[in-house]
Amino acid sequence: MSTPRFQLRSSIGKKLLNGITGVLLLLFIVAHLAGNLTIFAGQDALNAYAHLTHSLGVLLIVIELALAAVFLAHAYAGMTVWRDKQRARGTGYTQVASKGGPSRQTLGSRSMAVTGVVLLVFLVIHLYQFRFGPSEAQGYVANLHGEKVWDLNRIVVEHFKQPLWVAFYMGVMLLLGLHLRHGFWSAFQTIGVLTPRLRTAAFSFAVVFALVIAIGFFVLPLYVFLFSPMPVTGVAMVAP
């Protein structure tokens, strides 16, 4: 009988790991977008959201470590599955077309490795800027209902008042939509929850889901650039 370790290292095991972690990341992306959309309610709403998450203390660290593990596991499984396919193929096809049916080969499916690497690099940059950006000790303090809290709104505005950062984020969000279009359908297909009857509907819903998420993240930097007032004081950020 095969051991769990052997099953995980098998092709099926890696695909299953990729699917499960993919579903978890889809849930995280939805929650993260919901939190980010508070910026439309004003700077107090965004700072209140940041303050709420930071008030979790040790629990927040546990959640972040768990998310990091999920991201790394998803990246590992995705890259190894892609590598195994390349090895099995041997040489690339001279012409690529959508297979249709269960395979659902699209531009998104063929570029998953590339968009995945780009999104992973983007995640590091994003965390550096906003999760581990300037702290209260550096003067990033806001008054929230009489309480001094970390001024995340100021950090966001200082970055997205710079056209290069806006263009960078909007470009990455287009790649995110492309990645999610195939990733959404593929994740649920891999873990075996899609019956033949549901596959076509799920594939169509994946397109809608990818558009909604990509547009949601896409408009955030644009909205800040166009409408959010620039903080009176601030540390100038370095453009990419």
Side-chain angles (χ1 to χ4, degrees):
M1 183 175 180
S2 59
T3 64
R5 181 180 179 183
F6 177 78
Q7 292 174 357
L8 183 60
R9 293 175 62 88
S10 69
S11 176
I12 294 177
K14 284 180 284 191
K15 288 180 180 179
L16 185 60
L17 176 63
N18 195 40
I20 294 173
T21 53
V23 171
L24 293 175
L25 291 179
L26 289 172
L27 295 174
F28 166 73
I29 288 172
V30 171
H32 187 53
L33 177 59
N36 285 359
L37 291 177
T38 58
I39 197 169
F40 291 110
Q43 63 181 38
D44 283 352
L46 182 62
N47 285 336
Y49 163 65
H51 180 61
L52 176 63
T53 56
H54 281 212
S55 66
L56 296 176
V58 176
L59 179 59
L60 176 62
I61 297 176
V62 172
I63 294 173
E64 289 177 334
L65 289 175
L67 277 172
V70 172
F71 269 105
L72 292 175
H74 187 71
Y76 163 78
M79 292 305 294
T80 53
V81 168
W82 176 83
R83 181 198 62 194
D84 292 345
K85 287 182 178 179
Q86 295 302 110
R87 287 177 176 175
R89 180 179 299 173
T91 58
Y93 298 116
T94 57
Q95 182 177 359
V96 180
S98 176
K99 295 179 181 178
S103 70
R104 299 293 182 179
Q105 186 181 103
T106 63
L107 175 62
S109 66
R110 296 192 297 271
S111 62
M112 288 295 280
V114 175
T115 55
V117 170
V118 172
L119 291 173
L120 189 60
V121 173
F122 165 78
L123 178 63
V124 174
I125 296 173
H126 184 68
L127 288 173
Y128 175 77
Q129 290 178 319
F130 298 116
R131 175 63 180 91
F132 303 105
S135 64
E136 295 176 58
Q138 295 169 281
Y140 285 75
V141 181
N143 190 311
L144 182 65
H145 309 305
E147 182 180 2
K148 300 296 183 181
V149 301
W150 182 47
D151 195 353
L152 175 61
N153 178 78
R154 177 179 163 189
I155 299 174
V156 170
V157 172
E158 285 180 348
H159 277 93
F160 292 149
K161 282 301 182 181
Q162 299 183 60
L164 287 179
W165 277 126
V166 174
F168 172 70
Y169 268 76
M170 292 173 70
V172 172
M173 291 309 104
L174 292 177
L175 293 181
L176 174 64
L178 185 63
H179 193 84
L180 289 178
R181 180 188 176 185
H182 178 74
F184 180 95
W185 179 87
S186 178
F188 288 101
Q189 170 73 4
T190 300
I191 62 178
V193 299
L194 297 183
T195 64
R197 181 186 301 179
L198 291 175
R199 284 173 186 164
T200 300
F203 186 75
S204 299
F205 184 78
V207 175
V208 176
F209 176 83
L211 282 174
V212 170
I213 296 297
I215 291 172
F217 282 116
F218 185 90
V219 299
L220 285 171
L222 186 62
Y223 171 80
V224 173
F225 179 75
L226 294 175
F227 302 111
S228 294
M230 186 69 182
V232 177
T233 60
V235 178
M237 298 295 177
V238 179

